[in-house]
């Protein structure tokens, strides 16, 4: 791939959407051709699947949930992410395969090896060049949980969310090019840290022809 693939991960309300937009604007200002997207979703078909998997009140069993996420990911990866990378763009994606391991693996209890297998199938082996995982402190994480009511996953109980959070911590340790970021910090300070990590991992070392 000629482009670079950056994934922002973390629980709901951890600030990753804010940081994704700040990063997008920063890279655009630097002259790069950038694609900002999200999971589940990112394309019309994948967004339809998102509506199903996150709709409150639906009885979606764990294995069905996993496969819906992977179907959305397969469509998104093949329709949007890979073509953008082949065109030399920097792709910024809110959530990718790590989120499935954290939510459906550590929190739901589905076998992690099985999840790794279906992730591999859905992505055709595509791996991020850099994964940034945003986690807040225990106290802040719990307090933010009081305001999670918008979708089916956000309405899960405290035990589910704590298992998911611990899963993210474990996954950072075993994932190449993954970095943990303290989401309690000031928004601007976090953004500065993100831009420094881009330099460290050579994300912005693209040649001029790969800029817009």
């Amino acid at each position: 791939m000629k482009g670079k693939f950056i994934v922002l991960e973390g629980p709901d309300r951890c600030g990753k959407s804010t940081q994704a937009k700040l990063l997008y604007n920063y890279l655009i200002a630097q002259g790069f051709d950038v694609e900002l997207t999200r999971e589940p979703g990112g394309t019309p078909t994948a967004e339809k699947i998102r509506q199903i998997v996150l709709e409150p009140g639906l009885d979606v069993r764990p294995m069905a949930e996993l496969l819906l996420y992977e179907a959305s990911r397969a469509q998104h990866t093949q329709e949007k992410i890979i073509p953008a990378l082949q065109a030399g763009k920097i792709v910024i994606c809110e959530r990718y395969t790590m989120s499935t391991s954290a939510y459906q693996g550590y929190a739901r209890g589905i076998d992690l090896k099985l999840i790794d297998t279906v992730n591999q199938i859905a992505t055709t082996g595509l791996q991020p060049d850099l994964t940034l995982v945003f986690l807040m402190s225990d106290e802040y994480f719990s307090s933010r949980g009081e305001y999670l009511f918008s979708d089916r996953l956000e309405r899960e109980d405290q035990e589910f969310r704590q298992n998911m959070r611990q899963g993210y911590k474990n996954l950072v340790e075993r994932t190449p090019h993954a970095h943990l970021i303290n989401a309690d910090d000031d928004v601007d300070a976090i953004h500065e840290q993100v831009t420094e990590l881009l330099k460290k991992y050579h994300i912005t070392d693209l040649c001029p022809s790969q800029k817009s």
Side-chain angles (χ1 to χ4, degrees), residues 18-77:
T18 297
Q19 292 300 324
K21 291 173 184 175
L22 287 172
L23 179 57
Y24 174 83
N25 291 332
Y26 167 82
L27 290 170
I28 289 291
Q30 297 294 314
F32 290 99
D33 195 357
V34 189
E35 188 80 53
L36 177 60
T37 189
R38 70 173 183 175
E39 287 208 349
T43 73
T45 300
E47 288 288 340
K48 290 289 186 181
I49 299 172
R50 178 189 178 93
Q51 291 174 15
I52 295 171
V53 78
L54 294 181
E55 183 176 335
L58 284 184
D59 180 8
V60 182
R61 302 303 168 94
M63 189 56 66
E65 180 180 88
L66 170 64
L67 295 175
L68 283 168
Y69 274 114
E70 297 296 351
S72 175
R73 177 164 300 132
Q75 183 71 30
H76 182 219
T77 300

Side-chain angles (χ1 to χ4, degrees), residues 124-138:
T124 64
L126 179 66
Q127 297 289 332
D129 295 289
L130 176 61
T131 302
L132 304 173
V133 181
F134 298 83
L135 291 180
M136 65 285 286
S137 63
D138 284 329

Side-chain angles (χ1 to χ4, degrees), residues 91-195:
V91 177
I92 303 169
C93 187
E94 293 183 47
R95 292 202 170 122
Y96 201 55
T97 54
M98 187 183 284
S99 63
T100 306
S101 296
Y103 277 80
Q104 283 67 52
Y106 283 91
R108 288 276 187 241
I110 297 176
D111 183 72
L112 288 170
K113 290 183 179 179
L114 172 62
I115 291 176
D116 287 344
T117 298
V118 290
N119 273 336
Q120 179 79 8
I121 293 169
T123 63
T124 64
L126 179 66
Q127 297 289 332
D129 295 289
L130 176 61
T131 302
L132 304 173
V133 181
F134 298 83
L135 291 180
M136 65 285 286
S137 63
D138 284 329
E139 180 179 357
Y140 205 8
F141 178 73
S142 298
S143 66
R144 287 189 181 190
E146 298 175 5
Y147 305 100
L148 299 178
F149 304 111
S150 62
D151 65 45
R152 193 175 60 82
L153 270 294
E154 287 186 354
R155 295 184 181 190
E156 291 291 347
D157 60 23
Q158 180 75 359
E159 181 181 5
F160 176 93
R161 296 191 307 108
Q162 289 290 355
N163 288 339
M164 169 268 294
R165 182 173 181 270
Q166 185 59 48
Y168 271 124
K169 290 181 177 180
N170 295 347
L171 290 162
V172 168
E173 294 180 358
R174 69 180 182 91
T175 303
H177 306 127
H179 194 91
L180 188 63
I181 292 179
N182 182 4
D184 291 359
D185 288 344
D186 175 77
V187 170
D188 292 333
I190 293 174
H191 174 63
E192 183 176 350
Q193 185 180 359
V194 168
T195 58

